Amino acid sequence: MDKRELLLEAATKLFVERGLHATPTSAISKQAGVSAGILFHYFKTKDDLIDELYVSIKKEYTSSILIDIDRIKSDLGKLRLIWSNSWNWAIDNDLKFKFLLQVDNTNCSERVKSHPEIITKVEKFNNFIQEYVDKELVKNIDTYFLMTSMFSLITSMVNYLTLFPELCHDQVFIEQAWEMFYNCLKP
Amino acid sequence: MDKRELLLEAATKLFVERGLHATPTSAISKQAGVSAGILFHYFKTKDDLIDELYVSIKKEYTSSILIDIDRIKSDLGKLRLIWSNSWNWAIDNDLKFKFLLQVDNTNCSERVKSHPEIITKVEKFNNFIQEYVDKELVKNIDTYFLMTSMFSLITSMVNYLTLFPELCHDQVFIEQAWEMFYNCLKP
DNA sequence: TCTTTAATTGACTAATCAGTCAACAAAAGT
DNA sequence: ACTTTTGTTGACTGATTAGTCAATTAAAGA
């Protein structure tokens, strides 16, 4: 198997368990079952590894959000799919999601948040929300504020579902959570 | 001035700037203008300092939330005061707030989240919300889920206001943000 | 005043870290 | 078959770290 991939996977696990700086590169290579030196063959520095890991996971997450979006006709249905895609991906990839949260809440994330591919994704999503503002399906307020509010609600839902996983399939809870989400956004 | 306090203040600043593990104790004592050894006179270990800092800041934050709550009569007014107290404290104490966010999104926070004083505060707030559920002023859903949703919205608002501080005094924005907050909670 | 206790210093240590490197192995090209 | 490139190893290094400690100063009691 690709050792680069093994290293990224091991790093995700250890970073979430111990934190970025408390995880030595030696522990990452050990967890991945490869030699200590090879990490610096694939990544110039440890910070480089962190950056590449963040960007690749963020891309994976933002891509997952729009899955099957064209199979839905109604605007509200699309918004609901974005909502459920978001927390479903996070539940299915809890280590990766926790890694994103950890980095997003660190100042060192400034280094990587300005990555061009991520900025593009954010802009795309921004335009998507602007359409909803124009159609008067959501509040007429700055789209970036709408976006952060949306993702903060999704994040809190993911954290809650992580504590009570059985609720993932509880239709009553899911319906109430969606109601809260959309009530927050609607005009 | 109290060197213990100087150390905590310096630690808050550096932890937020560099991250917990990327901040050596030597940097903390240097920033505080005291000798390297004195840190271990006031705190047994570095982790001890982190724990004590977290608990003291969390207590300060949770206390600030209920300021002047008895001067308001209406239930809705009280809820709105909790909301504005929360983000006002966070804006006024941005370093401390960022420190809380950073620790809350780390696995190492498990160590400290179970601190008795913090559990008591959370339970108190939980009961407060339960009253609102009983009075049918907020959705009939698990109070812990309501609580995390509330604070996630407040957090996203604080992050947004940090980027655009002038909006703190923009009555239109504040009113819309409150509308979003309460629409999310109401039955 | 004298004694005891607490606060404070900074040089020190043992451990740990990110990153290097010479050597070797495997693939790929010719 | 032979050469070049690429992947891989693990011992090594210089720098940095958390935490110690003997010595010094300040404060408090008697």
Side-chain angles (χ1 to χ4, degrees):
Chain A
M1 191 177 168
D2 185 14
K3 304 206 169 179
R4 198 189 127 96
E5 210 52 47
L6 285 172
L7 282 165
L8 288 172
E9 211 172 286
T12 309
K13 179 172 146 60
L14 294 175
F15 284 152
V16 169
E17 274 174 16
R18 313 187 190 179
L20 297 185
H21 296 286
T23 303
T25 56
S26 60
I28 297 172
S29 44
K30 197 174 176 183
Q31 169 80 30
V34 297
S35 72
I38 198 68
L39 191 151
F40 296 94
H41 175 72
Y42 288 111
F43 309 96
K44 234 169 69 185
T45 65
K46 186 186 171 185
D47 279 345
D48 253 52
L49 182 151
I50 295 173
D51 290 359
E52 288 196 38
L53 185 59
Y54 179 85
V55 171
S56 84
I57 294 182
K58 193 80 164 194
K59 277 167 66 180
E60 193 184 322
Y61 177 47
T62 50
S63 297
S64 79
I65 290 176
L66 296 176
I67 285 178
D68 284 337
I69 196 75
D70 294 326
R71 284 178 36 187
I72 307 280
K73 294 276 149 24
S74 82
D75 287 321
L76 201 58
K78 282 185 182 184
L79 191 61
R80 173 145 180 173
L81 186 62
I82 286 173
W83 172 77
S84 60
N85 274 345
S86 295
W87 60 261
N88 272 309
W89 183 88
I91 298 291
D92 292 342
N93 301 273
D94 65 318
L95 278 181
K96 290 179 179 178
F97 189 71
K98 277 179 188 159
F99 174 77
L100 289 183
L101 283 186
Q102 197 173 103
V103 174
D104 281 334
N105 285 288
T106 307
N107 242 18
C108 79
S109 65
E110 304 309 325
R111 192 181 60 222
V112 89
K113 268 189 203 142
S114 52
H115 191 282
E117 288 197 72
I118 289 179
I119 291 190
T120 307
K121 291 267 187 188
V122 170
E123 271 175 16
K124 249 184 200 161
F125 200 72
N126 223 42
N127 296 336
F128 195 89
I129 299 175
Q130 185 62 54
E131 281 183 41
Y132 277 73
V133 174
D134 296 339
K135 289 177 185 167
E136 295 185 9
L137 285 162
V138 301
K139 262 205 170 43
N140 184 21
I141 193 170
D142 179 56
T143 51
Y144 181 71
F145 182 65
L146 284 171
M147 193 163 61
T148 54
S149 300
M150 287 170 64
F151 283 107
S152 76
L153 282 177
I154 289 165
T155 300
S156 76
M157 176 159 172
V158 170
N159 288 333
Y160 185 73
L161 285 175
T162 305
L163 290 174
F164 307 101
E166 68 276 11
L167 291 176
C168 283
H169 310 103
D170 181 329
Q171 283 310 314
V172 176
F173 173 77
I174 300 296
E175 214 54 43
Q176 277 187 307
W178 161 250
E179 226 176 70
M180 286 174 66
F181 181 80
Y182 185 59
N183 280 349
C184 177
L185 302 178
K186 75 179 179 196
Chain B
M1 189 180 169
D2 185 13
K3 305 209 171 181
R4 199 189 126 96
E5 210 51 48
L6 285 172
L7 282 166
L8 289 172
E9 211 172 286
T12 310
K13 178 173 146 59
L14 294 175
F15 284 154
V16 169
E17 273 173 14
R18 313 186 189 180
L20 296 184
H21 297 284
T23 304
T25 56
S26 59
I28 298 172
S29 44
K30 197 174 177 184
Q31 169 79 30
V34 299
S35 73
I38 199 68
L39 191 150
F40 298 93
H41 175 72
Y42 288 111
F43 309 96
K44 233 169 70 186
T45 65
K46 185 185 170 184
D47 280 344
D48 254 53
L49 183 151
I50 295 174
D51 291 359
E52 289 196 39
L53 185 58
Y54 179 86
V55 172
S56 85
I57 293 181
K58 192 82 164 191
K59 277 167 65 181
E60 192 183 323
Y61 177 47
T62 50
S63 297
S64 79
I65 290 177
L66 296 176
I67 285 176
D68 284 337
I69 197 75
D70 294 326
R71 286 178 33 188
I72 307 282
K73 294 277 149 24
S74 81
D75 288 320
L76 201 57
K78 283 185 180 182
L79 191 61
R80 173 147 181 170
L81 186 63
I82 286 173
W83 172 76
S84 60
N85 274 345
S86 296
W87 59 262
N88 271 311
W89 183 89
I91 298 290
D92 291 342
N93 301 273
D94 64 318
L95 278 181
K96 290 179 180 178
F97 189 71
K98 278 179 187 158
F99 175 77
L100 289 183
L101 282 187
Q102 197 172 101
V103 175
D104 281 333
N105 285 287
T106 308
N107 241 19
C108 78
S109 65
E110 304 310 323
R111 193 180 62 222
V112 90
K113 269 189 203 141
S114 51
H115 191 282
E117 288 198 73
I118 288 180
I119 290 191
T120 308
K121 290 265 186 188
V122 170
E123 271 175 17
K124 247 183 200 163
F125 200 72
N126 224 41
N127 296 336
F128 195 88
I129 299 176
Q130 186 62 54
E131 280 183 43
Y132 278 72
V133 174
D134 296 339
K135 289 177 185 167
E136 296 186 9
L137 284 164
V138 301
K139 260 203 171 45
N140 183 21
I141 193 169
D142 179 55
T143 52
Y144 181 71
F145 182 65
L146 284 171
M147 192 164 60
T148 54
S149 300
M150 286 170 64
F151 283 107
S152 76
L153 281 177
I154 289 165
T155 299
S156 76
M157 176 158 172
V158 170
N159 287 332
Y160 185 74
L161 285 175
T162 304
L163 291 174
F164 307 101
E166 68 277 10
L167 291 176
C168 283
H169 309 104
D170 181 329
Q171 284 308 314
V172 176
F173 173 78
I174 300 296
E175 213 53 44
Q176 278 186 307
W178 160 251
E179 226 175 70
M180 286 174 66
F181 181 81
Y182 185 59
N183 279 349
C184 178
L185 301 178
K186 76 179 177 195

